[in-house]
Amino acid sequence: MSCESPSSAKKFNLERASNFMRQFRDPDSRELKKLSANQFMEVWSHYDGDGNGYIEGTELDGFLREFVSSANFTDISPDAVSDSMLVELKACFMEAYDDNQDGKIDIRELAQLLPMEENFLLLFRFDNPLESSVEFMKIWREYDTDGSGYIEADELKNFLRDLLKEAKKINDVSEDKLIEYTDTMLQVFDSNKDGRLQLSEMAKLLPVKENFLCRQVFKGATKLTKDDIERVFSLYDRDNNGSIENEELRGFLKDLLELVKKDYDAQDLLEFEETILQGVEYSSEGKISRKQLTMILLALAKHNQEEEASTP
């Protein structure tokens, strides 16, 4: 029987409660236990306090303090990690896990760091990110089966089932597990909490290797050369038929829209398509030529230059 005074017991429990990560460690070995999809979601929601899709700033400091101090065999407060220790820890930690080196942890990076159910982890591990947004738009059209402009829960479940099939893991996953995975992925990526994924939310779940239009060459820093235009054109003209159309066009417009809008849906893309194409003497055939692409890219570079000039 413990002889602790009520006040020290209270302090002990408070400290224990303040370290969220401790519950996920084995009490004997202090190793992290494998997290289920729901537990992973709990960790993510707890540390991404502002719900912006990143663990950063004070959230990241809190996570690192608790992550380290929870490994201790005795209950110590996360504050036991000194500021200088935290600086050193953060440097090592970010070098190991901050893949895109943006100084914050996103959902995918956290998934690499925590031990998780293997099948659930697979849903975060795309060994080959999509080559371009053209591929993304093809997948979008394939799974938005009702053409609503959103990926609803049942459509997302079909997408995740096919991902696991591709990884030859679908036989290991029961229907109940698949539903749990779908619910968790919805909670993680459905930023506006409307119970479905819009274009920008699905784009976070299914990342493209690079938005080519984010490169410095398109930001007005240098003149666009014929080679630059040709590179962009061939990136989107996937079937090499000399024009950008259908999913190719939508992939290009998605990349363009991403430069000006963080959250966007299928309706935004449609309106953006009309606005952009009206400005380049768009033909009713739904295609753009090299000449039209050049006009759009020059307008983009000019817009970026003006923005930079107006920024104090």
Side-chain angles (χ1 to χ4, degrees):
M1 175 106 184
S2 168
C3 310
E4 281 177 332
S5 70
S7 62
S8 67
K10 188 178 175 191
K11 185 182 179 203
F12 173 84
N13 289 336
L14 268 176
E15 286 184 353
R16 189 182 183 113
S18 74
N19 193 327
F20 190 77
M21 286 307 299
R22 182 165 279 276
Q23 64 188 300
F24 302 111
R25 289 191 182 272
D26 182 282
D28 299 322
S29 69
R30 310 311 306 150
E31 290 288 315
L32 278 168
K33 295 182 276 192
K34 273 195 176 175
L35 304 188
S36 69
N38 286 334
Q39 288 172 324
F40 175 74
M41 186 61 213
E42 276 179 51
V43 174
W44 176 257
S45 303
H46 180 80
Y47 291 106
D48 179 23
D50 58 7
N52 75 339
Y54 297 99
I55 297 173
E56 59 185 336
T58 54
E59 296 169 344
L60 182 58
D61 292 352
F63 169 70
L64 289 175
R65 285 184 194 275
E66 294 192 5
F67 185 79
V68 171
S69 56
S70 67
N72 206 295
F73 278 97
T74 55
D75 282 300
I76 58 165
S77 164
D79 294 336
V81 179
S82 68
D83 290 347
S84 59
M85 199 191 297
L86 181 67
V87 170
E88 201 175 314
L89 176 66
K90 195 189 282 187
C92 299
F93 187 86
M94 296 310 269
E95 190 180 331
Y97 294 106
D98 183 19
D99 295 335
N100 57 3
Q101 300 179 330
D102 62 356
K104 44 196 180 185
I105 293 291
D106 66 24
I107 192 95
R108 236 163 255 295
E109 290 162 344
L110 187 70
Q112 309 306 324
L113 155 71
L114 298 177
M116 279 157 48
E117 287 175 1
E118 186 195 354
N119 293 328
F120 183 63
L121 183 58
L122 272 171
L123 303 180
F124 289 99
R125 279 205 172 141
F126 302 109
D127 292 331
N128 303 304
L130 298 179
E131 197 60 40
S132 80
S133 287
V134 178
E135 278 74 21
F136 174 85
M137 291 310 301
K138 283 178 182 167
I139 291 169
W140 175 270
R141 188 184 62 169
E142 187 184 336
Y143 288 98
D144 178 20
T145 45
D146 60 2
S148 66
Y150 295 93
I151 301 290
E152 277 100 6
D154 58 331
E155 294 167 336
L156 179 61
K157 188 169 82 165
N158 291 336
F159 170 70
L160 298 180
R161 181 187 280 117
D162 288 348
L163 264 187
L164 290 166
K165 245 187 221 164
E166 215 174 281
K168 300 188 170 46
K169 289 287 182 183
I170 193 61
N171 296 334
D172 306 345
V173 179
S174 66
E175 189 65 14
D176 284 349
K177 263 292 170 206
L178 194 57
I179 290 167
E180 183 192 328
Y181 290 172
T182 304
D183 287 346
T184 305
M185 293 307 248
L186 256 183
Q187 284 181 70
V188 169
F189 291 101
D190 176 22
S191 318
N192 61 6
K193 305 298 173 206
D194 65 354
R196 56 194 183 173
L197 297 183
Q198 63 182 33
L199 266 174
S200 58
E201 293 165 344
M202 186 69 175
K204 289 196 178 86
L205 168 57
L206 194 58
V208 168
K209 197 183 286 180
E210 173 190 26
N211 182 341
F212 202 73
L213 302 180
C214 286
R215 289 191 178 182
Q216 193 57 38
V217 68
F218 301 114
K219 299 197 172 172
T222 54
K223 272 191 169 179
L224 283 175
T225 66
K226 202 172 174 184
D227 280 352
D228 295 328
I229 305 288
E230 196 50 52
R231 251 200 317 271
V232 177
F233 196 83
S234 60
L235 179 76
Y236 295 104
D237 178 22
R238 307 303 276 183
D239 59 7
N240 299 313
N241 74 344
S243 61
I244 296 173
E245 57 194 323
N246 301 323
E247 264 73 43
E248 298 171 343
L249 178 57
R250 278 174 212 111
F252 169 63
L253 292 167
K254 171 190 166 283
D255 284 349
L256 209 50
L257 183 58
E258 251 171 24
L259 301 183
V260 292
K261 208 170 162 90
K262 195 171 68 127
D263 300 313
Y264 53 89
D265 59 22
Q267 186 58 36
D268 291 325
L269 190 65
L270 198 63
E271 288 167 8
F272 190 63
E273 184 173 341
E274 285 170 12
T275 308
I276 293 288
L277 297 181
Q278 273 169 5
V280 290
E281 300 161 16
Y282 169 55
S283 73
S284 57
E285 293 171 340
K287 305 174 179 181
I288 59 173
S289 63
R290 277 179 179 75
K291 185 183 170 191
Q292 289 165 325
L293 178 78
T294 306
M295 286 169 68
I296 294 169
L297 293 178
L298 287 172
L300 171 66
K302 186 169 183 270
H303 171 73
N304 286 329
Q305 266 178 330
E306 286 166 359
E307 275 209 331
E308 276 179 24
S310 65
T311 307

